[in-house]
Amino acid sequence: MAGLETPELAHAAEAGGADLIEIGFPFSDPLADGPVIRRAAERALAQGMRTAECLENLRAIREQVAAPLIPMTYASLLEAYGWERFATNAHEAGAASLIVADLPIDAHPELRRVQLVAPTSTDERIALAAERTDGWLYLVTVAGTTGARAELSPALAPLVERTRELTGVPLYAGFGISTPEQAAAAAELADGVVVGSAALVAAEEGAGALERFVAQLRAALA
């Protein structure tokens, strides 16, 4: 989540082995996010992190790390700021792409972004998402909000199987992946994993704890 401490945390995540770093732009009503990410968004908003400040924060992070940076937020933020303006300013600040969690696949096709698909997505929607996605598809492994789960979602394997029949783009699995063991199991199916809530929990203990956590995930994927 974009915040005063995020450049240091992003540097730690990269040092731990992260291939790319998702930067949350806080939103007051994050429908897809569980309690951990909601709490992080509330802290960021309390720090004064509005859209312009998040973009400056992104620029500061870009100075600290070489890994691709992907802002993740919600459509209302872009609607208020301006769709084209946001895309331009985010790119200028160092964003490699965007994730807009609640933006339908066929809305604003001019906005290059990583598309999300879920177990409830039809084959038609998955194929359209694959056609329009920016580099890779984000596989939402569960129906519901983000957050740690005790077990890897059983919906992931059939979602990967269906999606691979429709496209050859890389598939990264996220939502609910929180341990090295779950990451390893997910990576046997998909091409990579996205870990959000568990990384934020580690980050609450400081940059060193986050680096160690990411290093454990990296080791599990080796």
Side-chain angles (χ1 to χ4, degrees), residues 10-111:
H11 179 73
E14 183 179 50
D19 293 311
L20 62 84
I21 301 172
E22 180 184 307
I23 307 295
F25 279 27
F27 179 58
S28 58
D29 190 21
L31 299 178
D33 294 324
V36 172
I37 297 180
R38 283 176 178 267
R39 188 167 66 243
E42 289 169 1
R43 285 197 302 267
L45 291 170
Q47 290 179 351
M49 299 302 296
R50 303 301 186 263
T51 304
E53 288 75 17
C54 287
L55 289 167
E56 285 304 311
N57 192 249
L58 179 64
R59 194 181 305 276
I61 297 166
R62 175 78 288 156
E63 294 174 356
Q64 295 283 334
V65 304
L69 304 177
I70 302 183
M72 180 278 191
T73 191
Y74 289 84
S76 292
L77 187 149
L78 276 72
E79 182 71 33
Y81 190 83
W83 296 91
E84 184 177 351
R85 178 186 175 209
F86 184 91
T88 298
N89 291 356
H91 177 74
E92 290 174 348
S97 189
L98 303 172
I99 296 173
V100 188
D102 60 342
L103 188 62
I105 297 165
D106 44 7
H108 289 276
E110 79 284 356
L111 185 70

Side-chain angles (χ1 to χ4, degrees), residues 6-7 10 15 24 40 42 68 81 88-90 110 113 123 140 144 159 168 184 194 196-197 202 204 208:
T6 308
E42 289 169 1
Y81 190 83
T88 298
N89 291 356
E110 79 284 356
R113 61 193 187 272
D123 287 357
V140 177
L159 177 59
V194 182
S197 295
E204 290 176 355

Side-chain angles (χ1 to χ4, degrees), residues 93-188:
S97 189
L98 303 172
I99 296 173
V100 188
D102 60 342
L103 188 62
I105 297 165
D106 44 7
H108 289 276
E110 79 284 356
L111 185 70
R112 292 297 299 170
R113 61 193 187 272
V114 175
Q115 299 282 358
L116 295 87
V117 297
T120 53
S121 300
T122 65
D123 287 357
E124 180 183 11
R125 299 298 281 181
I126 291 173
L128 180 61
E131 177 185 327
R132 296 188 176 178
T133 201
D134 190 10
W136 50 279
L137 272 179
Y138 193 141
L139 303 187
V140 177
T141 64
V142 296
T145 60
T146 61
R149 263 77 172 182
E151 298 177 352
L152 187 66
S153 170
L156 177 58
L159 177 59
V160 169
E161 182 177 0
R162 282 203 296 136
T163 305
R164 289 210 190 280
E165 291 177 353
L166 297 165
T167 181
V169 303
L171 310 178
Y172 293 1
F175 280 54
I177 298 172
S178 56
T179 67
E181 293 76 18
Q182 290 174 352
E188 290 182 359

